[in-house]
Amino acid sequence: MEIWIEDLNKSYGEKQALSDFTALFENGIYGILGPNGAGKSTLMNILTDNLLRDSGRILLDGEEILDMKEKYREIMGYMPQQQQLYDTFTVQQFLLYIGALRGMSRKRILGNMTRLLHLLNLEDMRYTKLKELSGGMKQRVLLLQALLHNPKVLILDEPTAGLDPRERIRLRNFIADLSRDKIILIATHVVSDIEFISKEILLMKDGRLLDMAPSEELQKKIAGKVFEVSIPSEKLKQVKQEYRVSNIYRSGENVVVRILSDEVPGEYEYREVVPGMEDVYLYQLEDRNQREE
Amino acid sequence: MELLKFELKKLAGNRFFWCFCSLLFLLNLWTIRERVRTDFPAAESVRAAYQDFSNVPVQEQEAWLAEKKEKVGREPEYTGNSFAEIELLKGMESEFQQIQKYEEYLDEMQEKADQMTVVIFSNEHTFAYRNARKTPAVFEKLRGLELKAEVSEGVETASRAEFTDLCMLFAVIALSYFLVFQERKNRLNILLRSTSRGRKNLIRAKLQSAAVVTCFLVVLYYGTDFLYGFAKYGFGDLSRPVQSVTMFYESPYRMTVGAYLLVYLLAKFLVCFVISLLTMLLAQSVKSSAGFLAATVGFGVVQYGLTAFLPEHSYLDFFRSVNLAEYIKVYPLVEKYHNLNFFDYPVNAVFIFAVVILITAFGLYAGNQRRFCRTARERAEQEQGGLFQRFRIQKTIVPALPFCELWKLCIGQKAVWLAFLLLGGAVLLSRGRIGEFDFVEDTYRSFLLEQEGRLTVEKMQYFEDKKTEYESIFHMTPESSDLTEDEIRTKQSNAMYTYSGFMKAYQQAEYVQEWNQKNPDKGLPLLYGTGYEILLGEAAPGYTISMILLCVIAAVYAASVTLGGEYDLKVMKLLRSTSRGRLSLLGNKLLTAGLFAVVTAVLIRIPVFLEIEKRYPMNMWNVRIQSISAMSWITGDFSIAEYVLFIQAGQFLGMMIVILAVMALSMWVKDTVMTMVISSVLVIFPLILEWYGFAKIHFFTLNGILETQRLLQSGPAVIICYVVIFVLALPAFCIRQFYKMCRGSR
């Protein structure tokens, strides 16, 4: 299965939310990384057929998704970024409702629900009202409803928003297990969500796709541009003004600052380090003029 | 069916909706109870009398009535009161006679139609001619109907349900709001629409649930009217022709009373369902819930305006009759034979009703479906641009909390526009009601203004002389004067025009004289007091209520959006987490809402006051309040200015209490639009009810403090109870809620 997106454009008045976006997705996990306003939500909304594009094509196995209509939505599962649900529904009632919206029979819904509740550790919450669930549980319920009909395409918008580290890891691992026979798109601005599980990572900024590659390749592209400099505390402000800083920690009396620079920071005591995805994020997606004051 | 079940479940779990509907139900019940209670003669006596009457054979009914009338003086059997008994029996007799003369009535209709045709025969292609030709055939079909004189009031009570219509409207608006906006606000609509059945099937389920709930509400609200009418009066024989009921005597339709009641309910359901479809389409078409409310209210005002202001017998009758405000009443369709002018062809109004309602229903159903299934072209977020973009708070402007709150209210929440609208309303109000020409008042004014001031012996003598002059004119005969009978009649008729006005002035002078004699040290001047009476609500009370209504609308809006807006944007937690985000913030919001309400109220009063002053000059503010005869009950030593200020202060206090109550409600509801709707029912609706004449509601709602004058006229026990509940306990409760919010319990 593949999704081919070609020259996708979308604007809101004068603001270009998506500009000539082109990408190919096959089975596996794709992380869409970008700051706020990058166009991730616009892309999600267009892919879930909640927003009409200005121009471009989206083909699922060669067929335009707009022409497919309900058939596309039958094989697409969407996990929105939100926590507001139907307060008076229990988990089971909510899933039955979503299942009905997906055209599933009651028997099939209950069967899939039982299996997924077990997988996501929500069995005990089956008859609990949604308003009584914690944030992490609600996220799991949202993921569960997206998987209820065993979709081929899974679109997750900030799936780990508001979760504690343990929940994040659990959810991440769960998603990774699903990826064999599905196309999974995860929109996020949290690097650790997708760094290790994604087949490819898409870097988006100001509506444009800057790059699309596996994380190792993205990191290699900025090899030789990431350094750690050891400086006295008084020079920290100066370094922040001169370079993009991705990390700071104390080492004895000095401060070790991880910086991004196209040139070697010769004036300081430095060492070159292996870039990580956070470095890639900062290097590619942060405004070069944005320095801390 | 599954999706319909879930839609109904979503609605069933919505406690606000059902609380709101329950509140409307209780209001409706109270209204109909009051309506029946104030009927004269009393419902129980009417019911008992008709029960006995219907047991009498038809040929003996006339004699039975005559016998009862004879016995009234000795023993009023049904009402316990001779006057009421006579009224009751007279009504029954009149109805009986009318029913006996039904065939004659049909003959009359034929005659009239024939005459009309002759008069306008040269204009065969006009609506009037065609209508006159068509009418006899319609009424010919009613020949041979056997009418029965039985109790009509039960059916009439059930049919004239304008307040129930209003309750139903509110409920339907709330229903549409919850069906459309709730998921939009929670952003669940994105999830639902991404599913395979989340478009056409989902909207169909919503529309079907709207139909089910509307049907339920129609049965509940109008069924209550039916039950109450039945319980109090009874419906009589349901198989008798509907023409047996007084209000439907002129109806051209062959149907029984029972059939009419069923058709009535069905028609109500159809119209209410069309309204719910329309409001759902409006809800889908606008971006914000405030826009939805504005669009709905605007549409309703336009529809009502068409009914209220367009002339009846003209081409515009079509638009006057074919609109939802008229259709929701239903009974006018059956009441009379009515053809509408459709390009000079008479078309039956009921036929047009059926066609219009069905076509509109289908059209709106399809429209809703189409709108919902359409993929959005742009984000469904509130746009912040246009005119107000230029008025962003700059960093250089002092970011003081009161200023920020006022800015948010006036500019962000568009309260400035509301203020302009209300001001426009005030101008129209002053021109409309106060500007009405009243000959008696004009005469009264001219007599009094001439003599205004200290009541001297000469002035009193002037009045006495004038009175004598009038009396001599009215007692004039040809013998006592050298005028003919015709001349005397003309003279008397001319004098009649000014006599009423003069007598009013004379009575005022008498009152002042009497007072001065009893209280020589507290002399009153002769005063033209109509202007003051209007200001205080003693004269033209409907006008005062209208003005208060405008002020209360401003207060309700300001209080709803000031706090509700933060809940809508879900920023309340953020605001409360700041150092000044509790007591200080709440205080500023109360201050802002209060300031807005007060300023708007003052501005509303200006054109009204100016118009009153122009038409009813008020020249003496420093004299005692008792100078106005309607205020003679006041025992204190107040000047008119002091008293008027006191009453105005009471009204302003009432508005502040409204603001407190609405803000406390807003904290509970956490939704601006629902706060506004519930507040409208609790605060604005009672004012409307009182405007329609339900005075009793005054003491059970905030009307009492808003119209302080009327409250002061009740006994001390009532005043104390009212003050304890509404002026002390209610604000204290609200303040406690605010305190809990600041402490963190909310």
Side-chain angles (χ1 to χ4, degrees), chain B residues 223-335:
Chain B
T224 305
D225 293 350
F226 276 24
L227 284 174
Y228 206 83
F230 178 73
K232 283 294 175 181
Y233 288 107
F235 286 156
D237 180 6
L238 290 176
S239 63
R240 72 192 193 281
V242 76
Q243 286 81 0
S244 307
V245 175
T246 314
M247 75 186 268
F248 295 120
Y249 186 74
E250 293 176 30
S251 171
Y253 304 107
R254 281 191 87 108
M255 61 165 80
T256 61
V257 168
Y260 160 72
L261 292 172
L262 280 172
V263 165
Y264 175 88
L265 275 181
L266 179 65
K268 284 281 189 195
F269 163 69
L270 283 172
V271 176
C272 291
F273 182 51
V274 164
I275 293 173
S276 78
L277 288 175
L278 179 67
T279 44
M280 276 182 76
L281 187 61
L282 280 173
Q284 287 196 73
S285 307
V286 297
K287 289 188 177 152
S288 69
S289 46
F292 164 65
L293 206 60
T296 316
V297 168
F299 186 80
V301 165
V302 165
Q303 292 279 285
Y304 177 73
L306 288 172
T307 306
F309 298 117
L310 287 182
E312 204 171 319
H313 302 291
S314 72
Y315 277 106
L316 297 173
D317 183 38
F318 188 89
F319 300 103
R320 188 178 175 281
S321 306
V322 181
N323 69 73
L324 291 169
E326 188 64 19
Y327 279 162
I328 198 171
K329 293 181 208 165
V330 174
Y331 69 84
L333 292 165
V334 180
E335 222 179 12

Side-chain angles (χ1 to χ4, degrees), chain A residues 10 12 49-52 70 73-74 76 78 82 84 86 88-89 93 97 100-103 145, chain B residues 6-7 9-10 13 183 186-188 190-197 199 202 375-377 570:
Chain A
K10 176 68 188 172
Y12 303 111
D49 196 24
N50 272 301
L51 192 63
L52 210 56
E70 290 91 23
R73 296 199 298 275
E74 270 167 25
M76 184 260 297
Y78 175 51
Q82 68 162 79
Q84 294 249 351
Y86 298 108
T88 54
F89 278 29
Q93 284 167 344
Y97 176 49
L101 282 169
R102 298 199 192 279
Q145 63 76 29
Chain B
F6 280 108
E7 286 300 320
K9 186 175 176 4
K10 278 190 245 171
E183 277 155 1
N186 294 341
R187 299 180 67 78
L188 273 165
I190 301 175
L191 168 60
L192 301 183
R193 283 168 56 83
S194 72
T195 59
S196 57
R197 296 175 76 207
R199 306 276 166 117
L202 182 59
T375 305
R377 291 197 172 275
K570 302 191 196 315

